Amino acid sequence: MSGAYRPPDDKGSTLPSVPTRQRSRQACLPCRRRKRKCDGQLPCNICKGYDYECEYDETSQTIPQKRKNQPIQSSSQSKARPTNKVQSGDGSRQDAGASILPGVLEPSKARYVGRYSSIAFPLYVGLEVQATNLPRLHSFAYHTGIREEPPCAVQSEVTDHLSWNDARSLIDVYSTTIHPVFCFIDTDLFYKRCEDHWHGRSQGIVFEAMVCGTIALASLFKELIDHESEMWLILHAKKILEDSDISRFPSFEQLAAWILRTLYLRCTGRPHVTWIASCTIMHLVEAIGLHNAPESTIQTGGSDAPISETSYTMNRVAQVANCLHILIAFEYGRTILPINRRVLEHIDHTNRGTDLTPQLCRLVTTLPTNQHVGDTTLLSQDLFLALEKIAEIAIDHDFLVLLRTDLVLGIYRRLRVLDSKFQHGHYENIISAGLVALPAARRLVSKNEPWWNVVGAVFQFVCTLLVIDTPASCEALANTMDTLEFVVRNLDTHLAREALLTARQLVHASLHKKRKGIEMLERAVGTEAPEAAPSQTANQLAQDMASLSPLLAAQLPFDLDLLWNTDFQLPL
């Protein structure tokens, strides 16, 4: 995260005029089918907004070139020339830019609203009537105003509860353990601002929430402070983030603090609460306007950039937020918020030392988030394709290895619900992904890095092996249970012991089921003894098979696994 948030001078802040829209000489094919107004660009605004595949009729004489960024006119230019209009299909008249620009951003408050919002409408009215003083982006008449808003109820206190030496040590832990995977903070600048904050140069109350989240997460991995102090940090950050006076102005610091809180909840909290927090970070991404391209957003404050973050940092924060939300929702089986996934489309693969976030993003982008409502065949195809792609991603961190296993098992659960037809190779991919995770879980526990999936990935793999129920899955079960016992023995927590007990119960239930099946088979062949001697069983099998064709008897013993992918067809 870069420097402190400093609002610019609001004097002279006006909304720029909307670029002139010329009537399109040709509409793209998706807009023709949906009878939408097309701006004739490639991609057009409609397709870009709805993630359609924008294409034009190849027989046309002119096919538009890719859209180039167009500078937004200044407010003085907008006053000198009236805003152009276009006639809509229903006879109404609309702003020319209404079909081009998706929303309005007020940089001084880092607040984004859609162009159809009641908050933005007075601005467009001011442009329409060519007002000298344009209305500001404000919630005019949002309610009756019969009650005053409560003041901020939180004070800056972290420096009184934690010494700088302890804070500095925990920041170092965060930088070496959590930051490489979720790299969205400028750690050098963050460290400097923390030092200033502890030495009397306050960095603001929202920054303090960010500090609390960082230190509390680091405390999970190396307990340099007691649990009571850690809990105070979490509750203090919660009070700051949920204060109505503070949350009025969304900022990058606020988004970063919510990401840190969501990570902490994923490591320590309940699934529903964690999912709610992940939804909050996505709402903040939209509130700040990170889900849209900067060139497609009207800014009310001229050319001065109110936020000192670079475009790389802004996109990275949005990427981490989006990835975290998708991971939590995908695992929990909850809705993935349909925020524009543009932030995940352009992932920087540049080698930046220990930065592993691009690997995290590549894992997440393999997941099909489109639901294909009513078409389970297409959804199954997308899931099978994702299962194959995810195995090809190079991983350089044990936590990401476990995370890949989580995603593979999540894909398997969805395919199983869809009653998809698995091939033998699909089971091999699933079992291979789980087996690779076992040593990774052992290493993380041995290093005292309790990532949230060191128990969960191994436990879910046990459940998956029992359901797959093939010779290969049964063979992998012993090593998986040994790893689960190793992890639980080292952690020695209630949730870990509960998972191990449940896994043992499921394995015993599966064993009981198989024994019942064996008893039924024994009764079917007339074997009354609980166990037949190996020599007697082999002799009986040889005698029975000798009565069959000599060719089949000569092939004994044969491997039944050879018949796994064999198609049998009965004669008509």
Side-chain angles (χ1 to χ4, degrees):
M1 207 67 187
S2 62
Y5 174 84
R6 297 183 180 87
D9 188 2
D10 287 338
K11 294 181 179 180
S13 175
T14 57
L15 177 68
S17 67
V18 183
T20 304
R21 177 187 185 273
Q22 301 295 333
R23 181 175 296 275
S24 174
R25 298 172 60 184
Q26 179 192 7
C28 67
L29 297 180
C31 287
R32 285 185 183 180
R33 288 193 295 266
R34 294 171 175 83
K35 297 182 179 179
R36 300 286 182 87
K37 285 184 142 185
C38 183
D39 57 14
Q41 301 291 336
L42 181 62
C44 73
N45 185 66
I46 296 295
C47 292
K48 190 175 181 181
Y50 288 92
D51 289 332
Y52 297 149
E53 184 177 354
C54 189
E55 55 182 349
Y56 287 81
D57 188 356
E58 296 182 355
T59 60
S60 173
Q61 296 180 354
T62 58
I63 297 179
Q65 300 296 321
K66 286 190 176 181
R67 181 189 308 240
K68 297 181 180 179
N69 297 341
Q70 298 179 355
I72 299 178
Q73 299 172 1
S74 64
S75 57
S76 60
Q77 290 174 327
S78 67
K79 294 176 183 179
R81 185 178 57 187
T83 304
N84 289 343
K85 302 284 185 175
V86 294
Q87 191 76 18
S88 64
D90 58 0
S92 61
R93 302 184 69 83
Q94 300 176 337
D95 237 4
S99 61
I100 299 177
L101 300 173
V104 183
L105 176 67
E106 184 180 20
S108 63
K109 298 180 180 179
R111 182 174 60 184
Y112 170 89
V113 295
R115 66 173 181 267
Y116 38 76
S117 167
S118 63
I119 308 300
F121 190 60
L123 286 168
Y124 284 105
V125 174
L127 287 174
E128 177 78 17
V129 300
Q130 301 182 24
T132 304
N133 297 319
L134 293 174
R136 57 195 176 102
L137 194 67
H138 180 68
S139 54
F140 293 103
Y142 188 68
H143 53 72
T144 59
I146 59 177
R147 293 290 185 271
E148 293 184 359
E149 296 183 63
C152 178
V154 191
Q155 295 180 353
S156 179
E157 302 177 272
V158 66
T159 56
D160 298 331
H161 283 75
L162 196 66
S163 68
W164 169 237
N165 288 334
D166 288 341
R168 178 175 53 190
S169 300
L170 287 167
I171 292 171
D172 291 338
V173 172
Y174 177 89
S175 300
T176 56
T177 56
I178 304 166
H179 175 71
V181 180
F182 295 94
C183 180
F184 65 99
I185 296 176
D186 186 337
T187 52
D188 293 335
L189 181 58
F190 179 72
Y191 182 89
K192 182 181 182 303
R193 294 186 63 195
C194 286
E195 188 175 20
D196 291 343
H197 194 69
W198 255 267
H199 289 84
R201 296 180 290 275
S202 176
Q203 301 296 305
I205 190 69
V206 180
F207 178 78
E208 190 157 298
M210 186 176 167
V211 171
C212 290
T214 304
I215 296 176
L217 268 175
S219 178
L220 290 176
F221 288 79
K222 190 172 183 180
E223 299 182 7
L224 297 179
I225 57 176
D226 56 73
H227 290 183
E228 184 178 353
S229 298
E230 179 183 315
M231 188 54 57
W232 182 90
L233 291 169
I234 288 300
L235 294 178
H236 183 57
K238 180 176 182 291
K239 291 177 183 178
I240 294 173
L241 295 175
E242 294 181 353
D243 188 277
S244 59
D245 185 68
I246 295 174
S247 59
R248 288 171 54 198
F249 308 107
S251 64
F252 284 93
E253 289 178 353
Q254 190 180 125
L255 175 57
W258 267 107
I259 292 175
L260 294 167
R261 173 168 172 76
T262 305
L263 287 171
Y264 187 89
L265 288 173
R266 183 59 187 87
C267 292
T268 62
R270 300 293 180 118
H272 174 73
V273 178
T274 307
W275 177 73
I276 290 292
S278 75
C279 293
T280 301
I281 63 178
M282 293 312 299
H283 290 312
L284 282 171
V285 167
E286 181 181 9
I288 300 173
L290 296 180
H291 62 304
N292 281 328
E295 64 271 11
S296 65
T297 303
I298 299 177
Q299 294 194 13
T300 63
S303 60
D304 294 335
I307 302 167
S308 57
E309 281 77 4
T310 64
S311 59
Y312 168 78
T313 303
M314 292 190 294
N315 199 47
R316 175 54 66 88
V317 173
Q319 285 178 356
V320 172
N322 211 344
C323 287
L324 186 58
H325 169 66
I326 292 175
L327 288 174
I328 293 171
F330 186 80
E331 181 186 31
Y332 192 30
R334 285 285 177 88
T335 301
I336 297 175
L337 294 184
I339 299 296
N340 192 339
R341 295 187 71 189
R342 178 194 63 83
V343 294
L344 291 178
E345 294 175 358
H346 305 289
I347 301 172
D348 186 4
H349 296 167
T350 305
N351 184 8
R352 297 178 182 268
T354 59
D355 182 9
L356 302 175
T357 302
Q359 295 181 12
L360 171 69
C361 293
R362 283 196 290 271
L363 286 172
V364 173
T365 52
T366 61
L367 298 177
T369 56
N370 50 331
Q371 299 301 316
H372 290 301
V373 178
D375 196 337
T376 57
T377 302
L378 285 177
L379 181 55
S380 296
Q381 292 175 356
D382 289 347
L383 289 170
F384 278 126
L385 182 61
L387 187 63
E388 296 174 359
K389 286 184 176 181
I390 203 170
E392 302 173 356
I393 300 175
I395 299 299
D396 298 319
H397 195 282
D398 286 335
F399 166 70
L400 294 178
V401 172
L402 293 176
L403 194 62
R404 177 169 59 186
T405 301
D406 286 334
L407 298 181
V408 167
L409 299 182
I411 292 172
Y412 169 75
R413 292 192 297 267
R414 280 160 174 76
L415 288 169
R416 185 170 176 271
V417 170
L418 294 172
D419 199 21
S420 304
K421 295 181 180 180
F422 288 87
Q423 301 295 328
H424 188 55
H426 296 145
Y427 287 127
E428 288 182 346
N429 289 338
I430 295 169
I431 295 173
S432 298
L435 290 175
V436 173
L438 301 182
R442 288 176 176 268
R443 288 191 295 267
L444 288 175
V445 172
S446 300
K447 293 187 297 183
N448 192 27
E449 294 188 9
W451 290 94
W452 65 73
N453 49 11
V454 289
V455 181
V458 182
F459 171 76
Q460 290 294 333
F461 187 45
V462 171
C463 298
T464 303
L465 291 175
L466 293 174
V467 174
I468 292 177
D469 195 20
T470 63
S473 67
C474 292
E475 183 181 358
L477 195 56
N479 186 17
T480 307
M481 286 298 297
D482 288 343
T483 301
L484 184 59
E485 291 175 356
F486 174 84
V487 172
V488 172
R489 186 167 56 251
N490 280 268
L491 291 175
D492 194 24
T493 63
H494 166 69
L495 287 179
R497 292 191 296 269
E498 183 183 54
L500 178 59
L501 177 61
T502 303
R504 286 173 175 169
Q505 290 175 346
L506 292 174
V507 172
H508 282 297
S510 178
L511 180 60
H512 180 66
K513 176 185 175 182
K514 290 182 180 298
R515 283 176 175 167
K516 288 177 63 177
I518 292 174
E519 293 174 0
M520 294 178 184
L521 291 175
E522 288 175 343
R523 288 198 299 269
V525 297
T527 304
E528 297 181 357
E531 289 187 7
S535 59
Q536 295 177 353
T537 303
N539 293 335
Q540 183 64 40
L541 179 61
Q543 293 175 7
D544 293 341
M545 298 305 297
S547 62
L548 298 176
S549 64
L551 178 61
L552 181 59
Q555 294 177 343
L556 289 176
F558 61 91
D559 187 2
L560 291 177
D561 287 342
L562 295 175
L563 305 179
W564 184 267
N565 290 322
T566 304
D567 293 329
F568 296 94
Q569 183 174 2
L570 297 177
L572 298 176

